[in-house]
Amino acid sequence: MTVIANILIVAAISIGTIFVLVTAIGLIRLPDAFSRAHAASKSATLGVMCILLGVFFHFWLNEGNFNSRILLGILFLFVTGPVGGHMMGRAAYLSGVKLWDKTVRDDLAEALKKKRERRK
Amino acid sequence: MAFQILLNVIIAVTWMFLSVSFKPTTFIVGYLLGLFMLFLLRKSFSSRFYLDQVWAVIKLIILFFKELTLSNISVLLLIIKPKMQIRPAIFAMPTVLEKDWEITLLSSLITLTPGTMVIAISDDNKTLYIHTLDLDDVDEAIDSIRDTFEKAILEVSRS
């Protein structure tokens, strides 16, 4: 039982650490603000969630302490992570940050232009 | 859905009063009995049997975790490849969802799966503008979102 629990804990924490590391690498390597926002807002969220899950299992299975605050923390991360990513991307786009050499840049530019013309 | 759950709780409490025992186990027995009664009477409600909806929510959660793991791994491979082969793009995706909470849920799910991020939502709530890391084919990307998340959300909100 302890062996299984320890395997679970070690796996969760290592996977989380790997995801956080990959996020950091992605922040350095990716070319523009939007693709960096991708890396920062999601892989990091998943990584921190995995680490928290490992901590929760450690205190629950090895120490016998069921800490529901960690579960709430995971839930809150889950709810606020995507909203943060969305707001970063939206704010960057609306304030005119340039995209990297892109393939399709569908309607958003046109829709925005139309909207601004209508407002004038 | 909320009305059926309330009714089920009331039946359970009535069962507790009938059997003069106010323990959690009695409540659970009463709740299961009430569930069976509601199942027999499911034709007389205007909405469908609420366990269907609960099951749809569970299926949505399972689908989401599956997509989250798969796409996180694919982005991980994309990032650690020696040559960056990404082609970012912003594409428009029309959506059939109407209520605010459905659209919020859909865009949260799209944003949390790596590789896609919702940048903006049009004023009439009919189009999502999605930034993607690696664009192969717009139609394919739209179809995959529509087949997974949009369908599952529709399944939940269908009354």
Side-chain angles (χ1 to χ4, degrees), chain A residues 6-118:
Chain A
N6 280 333
I7 289 173
L8 199 68
I9 293 160
V10 170
I13 294 186
S14 341
I15 292 173
T17 320
I18 291 171
F19 272 127
V20 173
L21 179 70
V22 167
T23 304
I25 297 173
L27 276 183
I28 298 172
R29 289 197 65 195
L30 288 170
D32 69 344
F34 299 98
S35 32
R36 282 187 191 139
H38 273 280
S41 66
K42 288 165 300 195
S43 299
T45 314
L46 189 70
V48 175
M49 266 166 38
C50 281
I51 294 175
L52 280 180
L53 208 62
V55 173
F56 170 73
F57 278 134
H58 171 73
F59 280 105
W60 186 28
L61 299 174
N62 289 348
E63 320 252 319
N65 175 11
F66 187 90
N67 196 336
S68 50
R69 251 177 245 166
I70 302 181
L71 292 182
L72 268 188
I74 292 175
L75 184 73
F76 288 159
L77 262 181
F78 221 77
V79 175
T80 52
V83 180
H86 167 69
M87 289 323 273
M88 269 195 288
R90 185 183 151 85
Y93 194 92
L94 290 183
S95 56
V97 173
K98 286 276 175 297
L99 293 142
W100 193 51
D101 72 354
K102 51 264 160 184
T103 41
V104 192
R105 192 174 147 188
D106 231 18
D107 300 326
L108 185 51
E110 292 167 32
L112 217 60
K113 211 163 63 183
K114 258 184 218 157
K115 203 171 128 192
R116 288 200 173 132
E117 270 167 15
R118 220 180 303 140

Side-chain angles (χ1 to χ4, degrees), chain B residues 84-109:
Chain B
M84 277 260 148
Q85 286 172 331
I86 61 170
R87 291 184 297 140
I90 295 178
F91 62 87
M93 181 199 147
T95 177
V96 295
L97 299 177
E98 279 163 3
K99 296 191 199 93
D100 278 349
W101 68 266
E102 292 170 344
I103 296 172
T104 312
L105 186 62
L106 179 68
S107 43
S108 285
L109 293 183

